[in-house]
Amino acid sequence: MKRKIFYTYNPETDNFERFFPSGGERLWKGVKFILLSLLMGVAVFLLYFHFFDSPTEKALREENAQLRSRYNVINRRLDNSLKVMEDIRNRDDNFYRVMLQLDPMSLGQRYAGLDNERRYKEIERLPDADLVKLLTQRLDLFERQLYAQSLSFDQLRKSAGEQKDKLAHIPSVMPIDMKNYTVASGYGYRNDPIYGTTKFHEGLDFAASTGTPVFATADGLIEEAGWKGGYGNCVDISHGYNYTTRYAHLSEILIKPGSKVKRGELIGRVGSTGKSTGSHLHYEVRFKDEPQNPVNYYFMDLSPEEYAEMIRLADNAGHVMD
């Protein structure tokens, strides 16, 4: 191979003169060439991977997108499940347990074991730790509530089996046939139709035709049956276990004081006696002489759909008839 000849310009003689570089100079020139080539290669490599995904990276990005999509679906389903559990918890504490005179489950019972921070710290080492931790915490919450609720229902079932006589004496059906009425006024503060003032309405008003049958809502003893001031013809039933019910504005009373009645027994007929603006039944439920919302006491008579509709009607009804 022909040896490469080097020339350099000499300004003193204004000529190009042959130049013989040393071995060190030749080595340094080669090193510079190699370093420059490496830098250019690294730059090209970085630019390529910045703007273009490798097949592996592309597959990982698609997989991550699918995982996040599935996470969102699971999270939405978990949201719905937690809402259902909250509704069940409220009904359990404020309805079923009230019926059986059991104390509500404490927060400690419902949420025990959810403060396991050690478990969540282990999750923090995983990819997408925040999402995984949040989802795990919410799943733990749902599983704990579900477990606590199953324990509560077991306790309720046991208590109900031990209190069959008590259940027979708790008002738990409608005082009037569903097809024969409309809800005129719900429980709570309403405008008095006669005096024009705001007052607390202690029961429900069922608008119905005069003569519509009225039934006892639980076993009990007739405490009063006769005229009772603004209530007109009125029947009060003592059911024991601190429960009483009242049926007012009757056109006819079909039961006598001191007699025993069974749930579903005919006790009178709808009318408009006493302080009344139209034919209707005023119905009250009392526990320890405190008025209760009657819509909470139809659990043996209404399906879940009918119960939801009853609550809607009672909340929206504002025309007090007595």
Side-chain angles (χ1 to χ4, degrees), residues 7 85 105 139 160 163 179 197 207 227 235 271 295 320:
Y7 291 89
M85 282 303 306
M105 292 188 75
L139 282 171
Q163 301 184 53
K179 65 178 180 293
T197 57
W227 189 267
V235 173
V295 298
V320 179

Side-chain angles (χ1 to χ4, degrees), residues 136-155:
T136 303
Q137 288 175 324
R138 302 187 75 209
L139 282 171
D140 287 346
L141 173 63
F142 177 70
E143 289 177 355
R144 177 62 210 180
Q145 287 186 339
L146 189 63
Y147 175 69
Q149 195 58 58
S150 68
L151 293 181
S152 177
F153 283 151
D154 288 342
Q155 186 181 8

Side-chain angles (χ1 to χ4, degrees), residues 25-319:
E25 289 175 329
R26 289 175 179 272
L27 178 62
W28 173 239
K29 188 172 182 179
V31 170
K32 287 196 295 183
F33 177 79
I34 293 172
L35 287 175
L36 182 61
S37 300
L38 284 174
L39 287 173
M40 291 181 64
V42 169
V44 171
F45 179 82
L46 291 175
L47 286 172
Y48 177 82
F49 279 95
H50 180 73
F51 293 103
F52 302 97
D53 289 336
S54 68
T56 302
E57 287 180 324
K58 186 176 181 180
L60 286 174
R61 287 182 187 276
E62 292 176 352
E63 184 178 349
N64 284 338
Q66 292 176 359
L67 287 174
R68 286 182 176 272
S69 177
R70 291 172 185 170
Y71 168 84
N72 291 332
V73 171
I74 293 172
N75 208 34
R76 285 195 298 270
R77 293 177 65 181
L78 189 54
D79 275 338
N80 293 332
S81 297
L82 287 170
K83 288 177 183 177
V84 171
M85 282 303 306
E86 182 66 16
D87 290 340
I88 293 173
R89 184 190 69 78
N90 285 330
R91 191 158 184 172
D92 180 40
D93 285 342
N94 302 314
F95 181 47
Y96 298 125
R97 288 180 168 269
V98 171
M99 295 297 98
L100 296 174
Q101 297 182 19
L102 295 174
D103 292 332
M105 292 188 75
S106 68
L107 293 179
Q109 290 172 307
R110 288 194 178 276
Y111 301 111
L114 292 180
D115 54 351
N116 189 356
E117 287 301 321
R118 181 183 300 174
R119 178 184 179 188
Y120 300 135
K121 285 182 179 179
E122 293 174 356
I123 292 174
E124 290 174 357
R125 295 195 291 266
L126 299 174
D128 291 322
D130 290 340
L131 293 179
V132 176
K133 180 179 178 180
L134 178 61
L135 187 60
T136 303
Q137 288 175 324
R138 302 187 75 209
L139 282 171
D140 287 346
L141 173 63
F142 177 70
E143 289 177 355
R144 177 62 210 180
Q145 287 186 339
L146 189 63
Y147 175 69
Q149 195 58 58
S150 68
L151 293 181
S152 177
F153 283 151
D154 288 342
Q155 186 181 8
L156 289 169
R157 182 168 57 249
K158 180 180 178 181
S159 180
E162 295 171 348
Q163 301 184 53
K164 288 183 179 179
D165 181 70
K166 181 178 178 180
L167 288 175
H169 289 79
I170 294 177
S172 54
V173 298
M174 301 285 291
I176 190 171
D177 194 292
M178 290 182 62
K179 65 178 180 293
N180 293 328
Y181 75 88
T182 56
V183 179
S185 177
Y187 175 87
Y189 285 97
R190 299 288 190 271
N191 290 325
D192 190 294
I194 296 176
Y195 301 118
T197 57
T198 299
K199 70 168 188 176
F200 191 81
H201 192 238
E202 297 182 338
L204 288 182
D205 287 346
F206 298 95
S209 301
T210 299
T212 299
V214 176
F215 306 99
T217 55
D219 297 0
L221 181 70
I222 303 299
E223 223 174 35
E224 295 185 39
W227 189 267
K228 195 178 182 69
Y231 289 107
N233 289 327
C234 181
V235 173
D236 287 351
I237 303 178
S238 174
H239 302 282
Y241 302 100
N242 297 310
Y243 284 100
T244 59
T245 52
R246 173 168 292 169
Y247 314 76
H249 309 296
L250 302 174
S251 63
E252 186 179 2
I253 295 175
L254 303 176
I255 204 79
K256 294 181 180 181
S259 58
K260 293 182 178 181
V261 291
K262 291 288 187 181
R263 176 182 288 138
E265 186 174 339
L266 181 65
I267 59 172
R269 297 187 183 279
V270 172
S272 185
T273 56
K275 178 175 167 285
S276 172
T277 60
S279 180
H280 76 288
L281 170 69
H282 173 82
Y283 173 64
E284 294 180 12
V285 176
R286 290 178 175 269
F287 178 69
K288 295 182 179 180
D289 204 33
E290 292 293 328
Q292 309 291 307
N293 191 340
V295 298
N296 293 329
Y297 289 82
Y298 301 140
F299 59 91
M300 293 183 69
D301 219 16
L302 301 180
S303 67
E305 293 78 13
E306 292 168 338
Y307 179 77
E309 179 65 9
M310 168 61 71
I311 291 177
R312 187 189 69 80
L313 293 173
D315 286 343
N316 294 328
H319 179 57

